[in-house]
Amino acid sequence: GETVIFQPVLNVFLLALLCAPVAALAVIALVKAKGRDKALGAMRLVMLLACFVMFLRPGIPGGATETLATDTDIVLVVDTTASIVAEDWNGDEPRLDGVRADVQAIVDEYPGARFALITFDASADLRMPLTTDTTALVSSLEVLRPEVTSQSRGSSIGIANQLLTDTLSNAAEASPDRSRMVFYFGDGEQTVTSPPEPFDGSEKLTDAGAVLGYGTAEGGPMRLSTGGVDGSSSEYIEYQGANALSVIDEANLEAIAADLGVEYQHRTADAELTLPDAPSTTTSYAESGSVGTVTELYWIAALVVVALLGVELTRASMLVARLRLLRAPSASPRRKTPTGGGAA
């Protein structure tokens, strides 16, 4: 037979501590009970034991799984200047909402890939080195805020070029057999007078990817970024007494796409994201019965609990129905006897 392993939801000692007092009460009730109540007490004790087994999470190791593994390294380069929260995505939502949704789509498209996150405003930062922990990646993007408005000195859309090249070079040296993909997220708005730095140093290290553009030609207003807990103010950035508007610069984004040797795509909320296929040599099915997989058995105990709860509910419904019958008034009320004028 198979060896059963346990993966308790809490420390076993804590579980015993939680269940022991209830079990003691159930045993006392069982000892004192008579007749039909004895069976009821035994049933409740079995229910408690089934719950305890469920909390222990029994399972059989080595459950067969077949998962698609994308053997590729993906670097995400995200603009975090003030303009990334300009409100012209899906009407009047911040562009960053669109970036987050598209990153989630990329994570779903390439299961098993390793992801790195680079953000840039006045400088470029490696927020997250290559990892398969996509939960951490999505969490990083959820808490991502643009640079504090009062500290902004203007920024270049190409400032991440060297950090991207270094990240790809390190990945290529560490895992030469893996492919590398780059996704750049931004609006192409250059707010310093110098021209954008070219990304051509990364082209030979990039196998696939895309440059994704956010924003509209009409532009969107930007809320002030305060650096506080919620990160944004209710006020907007102003220029000459009116709301400053950030507009997309698609020519700049197309130039970055040409440098990297990937496609440019203008993103809107109503258009589906088109993603390139991962290089075919890097996509394979992981072996069946891989390490760390467990066939869970706690559901058997859960079925026992559900069945016993069903018995309890049926019994409770019958008791309620019986009480209602006892309390219901008589079906044929007594006829009143006449109070006056006897027989003639």
Side-chain angles (χ1 to χ4, degrees), residues 12-289:
V12 178
F13 177 71
L14 280 174
L15 284 176
L17 213 61
L18 283 168
C19 295
V22 188
L25 288 172
V27 169
I28 292 165
L30 181 60
V31 170
K32 289 185 175 179
K34 289 174 185 170
R36 195 184 291 175
D37 288 345
K38 223 170 183 63
L40 203 62
M43 188 183 80
R44 285 171 182 166
L45 194 57
V46 170
M47 196 189 299
L48 180 68
L49 286 169
C51 284
F52 184 69
V53 170
M54 216 160 60
F55 290 142
L56 289 176
R57 275 186 69 205
I60 299 167
T65 58
E66 196 176 62
T67 52
L68 187 70
T70 312
D71 198 17
T72 189
D73 293 334
I74 299 175
V75 184
L76 308 175
V77 184
V78 179
D79 181 344
T80 51
T81 57
S83 60
I84 203 64
V85 290
E87 295 172 358
D88 58 1
W89 171 264
N90 197 20
D92 59 357
E93 290 169 24
R95 293 169 187 170
L96 190 53
D97 285 5
V99 172
R100 287 177 180 137
D102 286 348
V103 168
Q104 186 62 60
I106 288 167
V107 165
D108 296 342
E109 181 73 15
Y110 308 108
R114 294 194 306 186
F115 290 89
L117 175 64
I118 291 173
T119 62
F120 68 92
D121 35 55
S123 62
D125 297 294
L126 181 64
R127 291 287 180 114
M128 202 175 80
L130 282 168
T131 177
T132 52
D133 187 354
T134 53
T135 309
L137 170 68
V138 172
S139 299
S140 297
L141 283 157
E142 284 302 319
V143 297
L144 203 60
R145 296 287 177 269
E147 61 180 338
V148 176
T149 311
S150 59
Q151 294 170 10
S152 177
R153 308 187 299 275
S155 55
S156 170
I157 57 165
I159 196 138
N161 72 328
Q162 193 55 53
L163 183 55
L164 175 61
T165 303
D166 293 346
T167 306
L168 292 169
S169 297
N170 293 341
E173 279 176 39
S175 312
D177 54 327
R178 291 172 75 92
S179 68
R180 287 164 300 282
M181 300 175 79
V182 174
F183 290 94
Y184 177 104
F185 306 78
D187 50 40
E189 195 172 38
Q190 183 78 352
T191 55
V192 289
T193 51
S194 56
E197 299 85 339
F199 277 89
D200 50 4
S202 298
E203 184 181 10
K204 63 182 183 296
L205 298 162
T206 304
D207 297 308
V211 170
L212 306 174
Y214 301 82
T216 57
E218 298 76 46
M222 299 159 280
R223 287 186 192 271
L224 285 164
S225 181
T226 58
V229 177
D230 67 342
S232 66
S233 160
S234 57
E235 294 175 39
Y236 288 90
I237 297 170
E238 292 193 355
Y239 177 70
Q240 294 181 347
N243 284 346
L245 296 179
S246 165
V247 296
I248 190 170
D249 189 328
E250 295 197 89
N252 278 345
L253 293 169
E254 280 167 357
I256 293 171
D259 283 349
L260 291 169
V262 299
E263 293 289 315
Y264 165 67
Q265 208 177 134
H266 180 230
R267 294 294 299 124
T268 56
D270 52 6
E272 203 171 322
L273 177 62
T274 309
L275 293 170
D277 292 335
S280 56
T281 52
T282 65
T283 307
S284 61
Y285 279 93
E287 279 185 22
S288 195

